[in-house]
Amino acid sequence: MSRLIFFVLVVTLQVRLTSSEPLPTSAPNNAGLLERAKQAYRDTKTKVLNVGSTVAGFAGMYYEEHLKPVADPYVEWAKDHANSLWDRVKSRMPSFRATQEQ
């Protein structure tokens, strides 16, 4: 998340510095520049988060409609085989322990 914040800050500053507005040269106006940069950062962050949630929604919808119907049978098959393997191991453990004690 910190990389995203840094990236958004850099992009925001680049956009603000390359805009057609001249940069203030006096010291009292620098505080205004900082406030405008903060607001631009907040606005950009909000836009990026909104786009991210939209992309996540589309990805979730795509998974539910296209990938899950294909993947579910394989997942169930793997679960069944893992359970049957574990059941076989558990059933043989008492006889394995008995041979080890002799």
Side-chain angles (χ1 to χ4, degrees):
M1 188 65 170
S2 62
R3 289 181 183 173
L4 174 65
I5 292 170
F6 178 73
F7 175 73
V8 169
L9 180 62
V10 168
V11 169
T12 303
L13 289 176
Q14 286 179 346
V15 168
R16 296 300 288 173
L17 291 177
T18 59
S19 67
S20 61
E21 297 177 21
L23 291 175
T25 55
S26 63
N29 290 336
N30 285 339
L33 176 66
L34 183 59
E35 288 302 318
R36 288 193 321 241
K38 285 181 185 178
Q39 187 59 40
Y41 167 76
R42 288 185 194 114
D43 294 343
T44 305
K45 180 180 174 185
T46 302
K47 289 177 186 177
V48 167
L49 291 176
N50 288 340
V51 168
S53 65
T54 303
V55 169
F58 280 124
M61 183 178 61
Y62 182 83
Y63 172 78
E64 289 292 326
E65 291 179 3
H66 297 283
L67 298 179
K68 189 174 181 183
V70 174
D72 274 350
Y74 294 110
V75 171
E76 291 301 320
W77 175 84
K79 283 181 185 177
D80 292 341
H81 277 67
N83 288 337
S84 65
L85 175 65
W86 179 241
D87 290 339
R88 285 184 285 174
V89 168
K90 285 192 305 188
S91 67
R92 293 184 181 162
M93 285 305 274
S95 62
F96 177 73
R97 288 184 186 156
T99 59
Q100 291 294 324
E101 292 174 1
Q102 293 176 358

